[in-house]
Amino acid sequence: MKFTLLGCGTSTGVPLPGCACKVCTSGHPKNHRDRTSACITLDDGRVILIDAGPDLRYQALKHKVRRVDSVLFTHAHADHILGIDDLRSFNFSSKKRISCYGTKETLDPITDSFSYIFKPRPGYAGGMVAQLDPHEISNDTLAEIEGTAFTLFPLVHGNMTVTGFRVGDLGYATDFNEMPERGMRVLEGVKYLFIDGLRFEPHNTHITITQAVEIAQKLKAQQTYIIHTTHTIDYDETNALLPAGIELGYDGLSFEF
Ligand SMILES: [Zn+2]
Ligand SMILES: [Zn+2]
Ligand SMILES: [Zn+2]
């Protein structure tokens, strides 16, 4: 399988329009962060997308994502779902419906917000809407997506529960301020860890970079990439502060696992 990090920015993306800070104006390609999203490409070419954020169309073009077979939604915040309409392009090219996986807590607001896709009114007369099939999953167990086992676990994100997962020796935990015991168990000894780490200053729904480092070290992850970072995080300056085996993620990071 191949993992590709399509974006590793916080909800605003980096740079922020109108911001004149050092990071937003740096021009360093790794200080450009689209909204956090990833994809897993199976050996036969099928693609599982992790979240469909507002940058999806641009990310797919930039990182040459030519098909999407399934989407795993981690939670229903705007920065993880607002690209849902652009999934249509993949329906057009594959002539197939796309399976969308999420917990009930995640799928309910998605199917409500995009009711024209999931609950179209009789007599709808527009163009083709995205052809998506919702599938409910539970954070306490495994989900089989495109024949691949995802071990799921819940993450606390303010008053929301986010879905984290492990596939083989890769773990992914975005958007959380607390990782309950199940997540620590599932991720123990993981080879590649993608973990939230918003910034250095505390935040009530995200962990800090310092906390991300502590969790990664507890888990004994071999290689950790910190994601969902804000414009207060300069790529080179922050990487220089991080211990060996822990670094910032960057858009387009891709490897076989
Ligand atoms: Zn987010
Ligand atoms: Zn800025
Ligand atoms: Zn969120």
Side-chain angles (χ1 to χ4, degrees), residues 40-139:
I40 294 172
T41 308
L42 305 182
D43 291 339
D44 65 2
R46 281 176 297 160
V47 173
I48 301 163
L49 186 67
I50 312 302
D51 290 323
D55 297 316
L56 174 61
R57 176 181 174 277
Y58 176 69
Q59 288 168 322
L61 292 169
K62 189 160 137 193
H63 305 293
K64 301 189 170 41
V65 180
R66 297 205 169 89
R67 61 188 279 182
V68 171
D69 298 88
S70 288
V71 185
L72 170 58
F73 286 104
T74 60
H75 64 304
H77 273 159
D79 55 321
H80 299 261
I81 68 170
L82 283 187
I84 204 165
D85 215 51
D86 288 325
L87 291 170
R88 279 188 309 160
S89 307
F90 301 106
N91 291 135
F92 290 141
S93 52
S94 70
K95 300 185 173 53
K96 263 178 49 187
R97 299 180 67 82
I98 295 171
S99 301
C100 293
Y101 295 84
T103 60
K104 181 172 165 46
E105 181 184 333
T106 297
L107 289 180
D108 280 353
I110 294 177
T111 53
D112 285 347
S113 306
F114 299 94
S115 59
Y116 65 95
I117 294 176
F118 294 98
K119 305 163 197 169
R121 278 192 283 178
Y124 170 79
M128 189 185 103
V129 300
Q131 307 288 297
L132 309 176
D133 295 324
H135 297 277
E136 207 174 298
I137 54 175
S138 159
N139 286 334

Side-chain angles (χ1 to χ4, degrees), residues 3 24 39 47 60 77 88 97 122 156 158 184 195 201-202 213 237 245:
F3 178 90
C24 288
C39 70
V47 173
H77 273 159
R88 279 188 309 160
R97 299 180 67 82
V156 179
M184 295 300 289
I195 186 169
E201 300 74 34
V213 168
E237 278 178 18

Side-chain angles (χ1 to χ4, degrees), residues 11 75 77 79-80 157 175 206 228:
S11 55
H75 64 304
H77 273 159
D79 55 321
H80 299 261
H157 185 34
D175 290 65
H206 292 270
H228 213 289

Side-chain angles (χ1 to χ4, degrees), residues 14-16 19-25 231-232:
V14 180
L16 273 76
C19 184
C21 83
K22 194 179 79 173
V23 172
C24 288
T25 56
H231 68 143
T232 60

